């Protein structure tokens, strides 16, 4: 009798785990940065960015443009910015919730450790 009760409990737990929705692999919050366009400084933001995959910033993906700078990480994840596309080149990690870099931190891609 104990075996059947234990088996039923185990199967019930498995059914719950299988039916629960998986959480999205995203960092929660906002990642802001600035870039130059036609002599003007523009601020851009990524809201709830995907975690665990490299994000090339569209605004600065053309090698002839000036890289982004002044990153502000207001997500719940560590953000690492890279000087080149595809998360290559010099890297600078920014802590979760309050990590930031000044104008000397230039980058074209970012990844969130989520």
């Amino acid at each position: 009798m104990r075996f059947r009760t234990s088996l039923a409990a185990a199967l019930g737990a498995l059914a719950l785990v299988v039916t629960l929705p998986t959480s999205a692999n995203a960092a929660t919050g906002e990642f802001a940065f600035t870039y130059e366009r036609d002599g003007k400084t523009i601020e851009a933001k990524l809201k709830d960015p995907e975690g665990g995959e490299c994000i090339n910033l569209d605004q600065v993906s053309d090698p002839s443009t000036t890289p982004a700078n002044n990153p502000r990480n207001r997500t719940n994840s560590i953000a690492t910015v890279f000087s080149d596309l595809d998360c290559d080149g010099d890297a600078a990690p920014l802590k979760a919730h309050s990590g930031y870099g000044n104008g000397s931190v230039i980058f074209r891609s970012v990844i969130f450790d989520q």
Side-chain angles (χ1 to χ4, degrees), residues 21-45:
T22 58
S23 63
N25 193 21
T28 303
E30 195 172 79
F31 178 80
F33 59 94
T34 60
Y35 65 98
E36 300 291 321
R37 187 71 76 235
D38 299 325
K40 296 178 182 174
T41 300
I42 301 169
E43 183 178 71
K45 297 176 182 176

Side-chain angles (χ1 to χ4, degrees), residues 83-96:
S83 59
D84 296 326
L85 295 172
D86 302 321
C87 294
D88 199 15
D90 295 334
L94 305 169
K95 64 183 178 177

Side-chain angles (χ1 to χ4, degrees), residues 2-58:
R2 273 191 180 164
F3 177 73
R4 274 198 269 170
T5 305
S6 297
L7 181 62
L11 289 175
L14 179 62
L16 282 175
V17 169
V18 171
T19 59
L20 288 176
T22 58
S23 63
N25 193 21
T28 303
E30 195 172 79
F31 178 80
F33 59 94
T34 60
Y35 65 98
E36 300 291 321
R37 187 71 76 235
D38 299 325
K40 296 178 182 174
T41 300
I42 301 169
E43 183 178 71
K45 297 176 182 176
L46 300 175
K47 181 149 176 62
D48 298 333
E50 190 66 32
E53 67 180 49
C54 184
I55 300 170
N56 290 323
L57 302 174
D58 292 336

